[in-house]
């Protein structure tokens, strides 16, 4: 029998101030930009939106129809001019926002993003605001199936709730961005670690990796079961504790060949799609093992859809917009 799975995304909510320019100005230079937009983002909210959209069709969301996965956003915003629109936007995508606290006298987090249109690459400056006022307490509901974390909340909040999630038997995923070294306790018994090349180097301590198998081995030795390293245009590398124990090398899924417009939410879309796959697995009989190959391939296709559009949350696809193969 299957039952509704619950994904709790415990993370940041930021307002994105996005400037698009043909190239990044050098020190002391002023350029006229191509455009400026205000949107909703934050790695936590982006990944929550990705989970919500990739677990339902746009029609299901517009008609208010329930999905087989419930996605909850957990975090904080300020009582400023941004928070009402932000929460309504999340709810429109089908997210539950009861656990998003509106903190009096605080400002909602802000990300200042510059997108270089000639390459699609982005540069981001993050001001945490209310995100750094999230309390160190249990934020993982007892009925949660999968908990997804990033590092845009205070480290103490993340570590406390990762530990709580594991103690409750909740499948735990972390996308440790922005990357800072993590204590040993973060890795012990961790089900899923999703990092990009830069994060993998910083967190593993291997500054110039020549073998992703060696990088994955570091994380596996610390207690991680599934290591996923996104490689941008080169695709995705992944390795498991089981495969390594059998002396098998990790696998690489090539990147989809598409025209890159904006990479801002690509990693968040990948993490969301992967989390949905884990949630589907958790909702089914535990007799079958997790199909990591299928989860990686689907997440890779979802991310390839995101980079073809401008914006953060606005570029994240719905379930029926991602090709089956």
């Amino acid at each position: 029998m299957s039952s509704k799975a619950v994904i709790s995304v415990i993370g940041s909510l930021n307002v994105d101030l996005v400037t698009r320019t043909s190239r990044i100005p050098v020190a002391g230079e002023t350029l006229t930009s191509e455009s400026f937009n205000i949107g909703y983002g934050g790695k936590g909210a982006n990944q929550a939106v990705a989970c919500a959209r990739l677990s339902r069709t746009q029609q299901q969301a517009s008609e208010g129809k329930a999905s087989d996965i419930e996605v909850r956003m957990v975090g904080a915003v300020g009582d400023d001019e941004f928070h009402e629109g932000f929460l309504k936007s999340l709810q429109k995508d089908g997210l539950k926002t009861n656990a998003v606290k509106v903190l009096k006298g605080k400002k909602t987090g802000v990300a200042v993003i510059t997108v270089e249109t000639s390459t699609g690459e982005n540069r981001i400056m993050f001001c945490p605001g209310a995100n750094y006022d999230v309390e160190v307490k249990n934020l993982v509901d007892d009925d949660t199936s999968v908990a997804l974390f990033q590092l845009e909340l205070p480290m103490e909040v993340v570590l406390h709730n990762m530990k709580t999630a594991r103690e409750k038997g909740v499948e735990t995923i972390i996308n440790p961005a922005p990357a800072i070294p993590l204590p040993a306790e973060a890795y012990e018994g961790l089900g899923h670690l999703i990092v990009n090349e830069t994060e993998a180097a910083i967190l593993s301590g291997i500054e110039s990796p020549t073998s992703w198998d060696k990088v994955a081995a570091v994380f596996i030795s610390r207690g991680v079961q599934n290591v996923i390293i996104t490689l941008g245009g080169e695709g995705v590398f992944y390795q498991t504790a089981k495969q390594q124990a059998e002396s098998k090398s990790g696998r690489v899924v090539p990147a989809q060949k598409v025209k890159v417009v904006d990479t801002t939410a690509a990693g968040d879309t990948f993490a969301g799609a992967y989390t949905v796959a884990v949630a589907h697995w958790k909702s089914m009989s535990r007799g079958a093992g997790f199909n990591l190959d299928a989860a990686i391939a689907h997440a890779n296709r979802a991310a390839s859809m995101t980079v073809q559009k401008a914006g953060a949350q606005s570029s994240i696809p719905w379930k029926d917009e991602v090709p089956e193969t």
Side-chain angles (χ1 to χ4, degrees), residues 11 13 73-88 90-91 97-109 129-135 137 139:
L13 299 99
M73 182 70 225
V74 184
V77 291
D79 63 342
D80 54 16
E81 63 271 30
F82 294 121
H83 80 272
E84 285 189 11
F86 203 153
L87 296 181
K88 287 180 180 177
L90 295 177
Q91 292 159 7
T97 60
N98 304 41
V100 177
K101 302 298 182 184
V102 180
L103 304 181
K104 290 186 177 181
K106 300 295 182 179
K107 293 289 187 181
T108 301
N131 293 300
Y132 275 17
D133 290 296
V134 174
E135 296 181 49
K137 65 178 184 179
L139 300 172

Side-chain angles (χ1 to χ4, degrees), residues 31 103 124 180-181 239:
L31 287 179
L103 304 181
I124 303 173
I180 55 175
Q239 176 63 299

Side-chain angles (χ1 to χ4, degrees), residues 5-9 144-148 170-173 275 278-279 282:
V6 174
I7 297 173
S8 288
V9 183
T144 298
S145 310
V146 185
L148 174 59
V170 175
E171 201 73 22
T172 305
I173 304 171
T275 300
V278 174
K282 286 282 286 187

Side-chain angles (χ1 to χ4, degrees), residues 3-61:
S3 58
K4 181 185 284 289
V6 174
I7 297 173
S8 288
V9 183
I10 299 170
S12 58
L13 299 99
N14 301 322
V15 176
D16 288 340
L17 307 178
V18 185
T19 300
R20 299 177 64 81
T21 179
S22 60
R23 63 176 177 83
I24 302 300
V26 299
E29 181 185 16
T30 299
L31 287 179
T32 299
S33 67
E34 296 176 5
S35 65
F36 172 77
N37 289 290
I38 298 176
Y40 302 120
K43 295 197 73 66
N46 286 350
Q47 292 180 15
V49 168
C51 289
R53 290 188 182 181
L54 291 164
S55 61
R56 70 202 70 209
T57 66
Q58 190 168 8
Q59 183 174 350
Q60 284 178 316

Side-chain angles (χ1 to χ4, degrees), residues 16 18 40-41 46 53 113 262 264-265 269 306 310-316:
D16 288 340
V18 185
Y40 302 120
N46 286 350
R53 290 188 182 181
I113 303 172
D262 185 350
T264 301
T269 300
T306 296
Q313 290 178 16
S314 60
S315 68
I316 298 171

Side-chain angles (χ1 to χ4, degrees), residues 1-3 144-146 168-172 191-192 226 278-290:
M1 293 290 291
S2 64
S3 58
T144 298
S145 310
V146 185
K168 291 184 175 184
V170 175
E171 201 73 22
T172 305
H192 313 265
N226 299 287
V278 174
H280 277 302
W281 168 62
K282 286 282 286 187
S283 70
M284 305 300 287
S285 168
R286 294 304 296 270
F290 177 52

Side-chain angles (χ1 to χ4, degrees), residues 173-203:
I173 304 171
I174 187 169
N175 172 218
I180 55 175
L182 294 170
E185 64 183 279
Y187 300 102
E188 295 167 359
L190 177 62
H192 313 265
L193 175 70
I194 303 174
V195 289
N196 64 22
E197 295 168 273
T198 302
E199 294 153 3
I202 292 172
L203 296 172

